[in-house]
Amino acid sequence: MEIQSEVQSRSFVKIIGLVLVVFFLGAGLFMLSSEGFERNKPVIKTSLEPSWNLNGDFFIYLSDDTGIKDYRVSYEGDLKESFLPTKMAPFSECPFVAKDEENGICLAIEKPNIPTKNIQSLNLIVEVTDKSKWNFFSGNKTLENIAITIDTKKPQLAVVSNSYRITQGGSALVIFRVEDENLEKIRISNGENEFIPQPFYKEGYYISLLAWPKNNLAFNAKIYASDTAGNVSVAPINFFAVKKEYRKSNISLTDSFIDGKISSLVEEIGDRSLESFVDKLSIFKYINEDIRQYSEKHIMQAGATFSLETIEDFQISAFSPLKNAAVTASFGDHRTFIYQGEVVGYSNHMGLDLASVKQAPIILSNPGEVIVDEFIGIDGNALVIHHGLGLSSLYAHLTKSLVDIGDKVERGTIIGNTGNTGLSLGDHLHFGVLVQGYEVWTAEWMDSKWIENNITKVIVEAKGIINSL
Ligand SMILES: [Zn+2]
């Protein structure tokens, strides 16, 4: 009996042991395969060359597969490690991160309470723990030192020269200098819209055309330069701003106009059938609102996309696209459409209509690159040619284009023939000028005297000043 029970208890221990081994193996396998036990450490991201002006907050981005459980930020001070208060910030404050991750946190770190004078660098210590149950439920930990350059110097910003005046609807030029070791971004605002300058002539100098779009009531131009440490400088550009009244007119819509030109344009565009509209007015509204908006946006985007390489010089001649032409509609005309006695829509005519003989040759007055060559709703067959410095010219309603997209076209080239495509009544050329995508007063760019005074002289004056420094 005794011998037997000893044998029994031994095999009992063996079985228990086997069960435990199986249990721990299983648990181990479960932990290895389970997300809850992941072993990836949290990731800490910051800008490529971290710098801080110790004015606002400093931003870092924390991310992890399972989520962040805990974090703390301290800095190495003179005597001991000191903790810094932090708060969650919107993702947009961490522009150095491509996309906001599901478990990501953009963290704003408050500045240490130390005198900023004579400090050149700061060492941040960031400790992050994730929600993983790995490491006996304590999680994966990342400890990182971030060396930050302290930069309290604002970018130096000075206007070198600019056009003396700008007219509502029109254009102007500015050349300026920016100096900063950690320069990040320069932008120019007219109070409502932004313009991107490009490097000019010598290092540290920039040039940009500006527009005062016709429908903006005021014009207030400023240059903003910011560095990676968060220092921002602002410089006003002093223009003599002249308001201009543009013509207003009423146009009565007839059924025959909607049944004719408008309806055939709907069919030509081909996105909607005429049967899908409830009445004549909705056909007109589709063209005047949806298609017009699409066309304007398309042209604007094309004109706003240009290379920002260093520009050595910019020479431009007065545009004169059509010989012996009569003006049939002016730039800036504001049209109110009336149908059956009621106002049913508006439009702004943002170019100049020129008519001569049918299918007249269109002459390119300035060299450039073809950036649009296609049928665009309202504009019909249209060409846009970029002449450098974000200045483009638009030719619409053509019968045909004689150039191709990407072509570098010389001055004097016949680029196409006038026509009646798009929203057009009779063979004519709709000529437009764009400054970084904004349609501007064509008359200025067709006037050699205006170009001389407002563009050429500004460049010559700037070069003189730059060379004398
Ligand atoms: Zn027109």
Side-chain angles (χ1 to χ4, degrees):
M1 273 301 270
E2 274 179 19
I3 294 167
Q4 212 181 345
S5 89
E6 204 174 293
V7 171
Q8 268 182 345
S9 73
R10 264 194 213 156
S11 41
F12 182 70
V13 168
K14 271 185 187 169
I15 288 164
I16 293 287
L18 199 66
V19 167
L20 281 174
V21 165
V22 168
F23 172 78
F24 281 115
L25 265 175
L29 278 172
F30 170 76
M31 280 162 69
L32 281 175
S33 62
S34 157
E35 269 186 27
F37 288 90
E38 57 90 14
R39 287 175 292 167
N40 295 329
K41 288 181 169 187
V43 177
I44 303 165
K45 278 182 201 152
T46 181
S47 52
L48 217 53
E49 286 172 32
S51 50
W52 195 1
N53 62 5
L54 292 180
N55 254 334
D57 295 335
F58 182 79
F59 296 93
I60 59 172
Y61 193 78
L62 312 176
S63 62
D64 184 82
D65 307 345
T66 46
I68 307 290
K69 184 167 71 184
D70 199 17
Y71 51 80
R72 53 184 208 169
V73 181
S74 54
Y75 75 99
E76 274 178 347
D78 292 342
L79 300 167
K80 58 175 184 1
E81 201 178 307
S82 312
F83 290 98
L84 292 171
T86 59
K87 58 181 181 290
M88 303 250 254
F91 169 62
S92 58
E93 298 286 358
C94 285
F96 47 87
V97 183
K99 68 174 178 58
D100 198 6
E101 285 170 39
E102 200 181 324
N103 294 313
I105 299 171
C106 181
L107 203 62
I109 300 159
E110 281 184 27
K111 74 175 187 109
N113 201 5
I114 47 172
T116 56
K117 233 184 181 179
N118 300 325
I119 296 184
Q120 276 159 12
S121 65
L122 192 75
N123 200 19
L124 273 196
I125 304 153
V126 184
E127 246 181 291
V128 191
T129 311
D130 68 10
K131 284 179 179 164
S132 171
K133 297 182 183 72
W134 192 250
N135 279 330
F136 300 101
F137 298 93
S138 66
N140 303 294
K141 192 174 270 186
T142 301
L143 179 71
E144 223 165 86
N145 281 10
I146 302 172
I148 304 173
T149 307
I150 300 303
D151 173 6
T152 54
K153 254 169 69 183
K154 282 186 174 191
Q156 282 184 28
L157 183 54
V159 173
V160 177
S161 71
N162 60 272
S163 318
Y164 168 69
R165 86 166 67 204
I166 188 165
T167 304
Q168 187 172 7
S171 315
L173 183 70
V174 64
I175 294 165
F176 58 97
R177 188 175 73 96
V178 183
E179 210 180 281
D180 193 285
E181 278 174 23
N182 306 307
L183 189 65
E184 188 178 45
K185 197 183 171 192
I186 310 169
R187 60 186 187 88
I188 302 173
S189 167
N190 65 7
E192 280 193 44
N193 321 100
E194 285 195 1
F195 300 87
I196 306 163
Q198 66 192 96
F200 172 69
Y201 194 48
K202 283 188 182 171
E203 209 193 323
Y205 293 92
Y206 296 85
I207 186 168
S208 182
L209 286 169
L210 283 92
W212 178 356
K214 180 216 149 184
N215 291 330
N216 293 6
L217 294 177
F219 183 85
N220 184 10
K222 283 179 182 149
I223 307 166
Y224 297 85
S226 53
D227 65 18
T228 52
N231 301 300
V232 183
S233 290
V234 188
I237 317 169
N238 295 315
F239 288 108
F240 178 53
V242 185
K243 287 210 165 202
K244 181 172 162 62
E245 284 281 327
Y246 287 93
R247 221 172 68 122
K248 290 186 176 80
S249 60
N250 291 339
I251 294 178
S252 290
L253 300 170
T254 59
D255 283 346
S256 68
F257 172 65
I258 297 174
D259 288 337
K261 187 72 207 184
I262 295 284
S263 295
S264 62
L265 186 55
V266 171
E267 286 176 317
E268 198 171 359
I269 290 163
D271 283 347
R272 284 188 67 172
S273 69
L274 285 172
E275 291 74 45
S276 70
F277 295 95
V278 289
D279 54 17
K280 288 196 205 313
L281 182 58
S282 54
I283 298 177
F284 170 76
K285 283 194 163 180
Y286 167 66
I287 290 293
N288 192 51
E289 288 163 24
D290 301 4
I291 298 299
R292 184 180 296 281
Q293 197 183 30
Y294 160 79
S295 308
E296 285 171 357
K297 210 173 150 190
H298 193 87
I299 296 285
M300 171 153 202
Q301 278 172 351
T305 315
F306 59 98
S307 154
L308 293 177
E309 62 197 14
T310 301
I311 195 161
E312 291 292 328
D313 199 9
F314 180 69
Q315 286 176 357
I316 201 93
S317 311
F319 286 90
S320 175
L322 209 58
K323 275 195 180 131
N324 304 318
V327 173
T328 53
S330 303
F331 172 88
D333 288 355
H334 182 269
R335 295 159 176 174
T336 301
F337 296 106
I338 293 158
Y339 182 64
Q340 295 176 345
E342 277 183 48
V343 173
V344 294
Y346 306 93
S347 79
N348 279 294
H349 187 247
M350 301 306 280
L352 181 72
D353 285 354
L354 298 167
S356 110
V357 292
K358 275 187 182 170
Q359 301 197 21
I362 300 161
I363 306 151
L364 191 65
S365 309
N366 286 288
E369 184 185 341
V370 181
I371 56 170
V372 169
D373 177 21
E374 62 188 287
F375 182 92
I376 308 171
I378 298 283
D379 297 302
N381 295 325
L383 280 174
V384 177
I385 293 172
H386 179 239
H387 305 285
L389 203 60
L391 183 79
S392 305
S393 53
L394 161 72
Y395 309 84
H397 310 308
L398 311 188
T399 304
K400 62 172 189 286
S401 143
L402 298 171
V403 290
D404 288 312
I405 194 127
D407 279 0
K408 302 264 195 316
V409 203
E410 285 307 309
R411 171 193 164 94
T413 309
I414 294 173
I415 53 172
N417 296 92
T418 62
N420 194 22
T421 55
L423 187 56
S424 158
L425 293 171
D427 188 303
H428 78 284
L429 169 69
H430 172 99
F431 171 68
V433 179
L434 306 153
V435 164
Q436 297 200 13
Y438 295 98
E439 294 179 280
V440 290
W441 191 19
T442 42
E444 291 179 337
W445 295 98
M446 297 176 83
D447 175 358
S448 54
K449 191 113 199 220
W450 181 88
I451 292 172
E452 171 69 24
N453 288 330
N454 293 277
I455 307 295
T456 315
K457 273 187 182 168
V458 175
I459 293 172
V460 169
E461 187 193 10
K463 281 186 170 177
I465 294 169
I466 296 167
N467 288 335
S468 72
L469 291 172

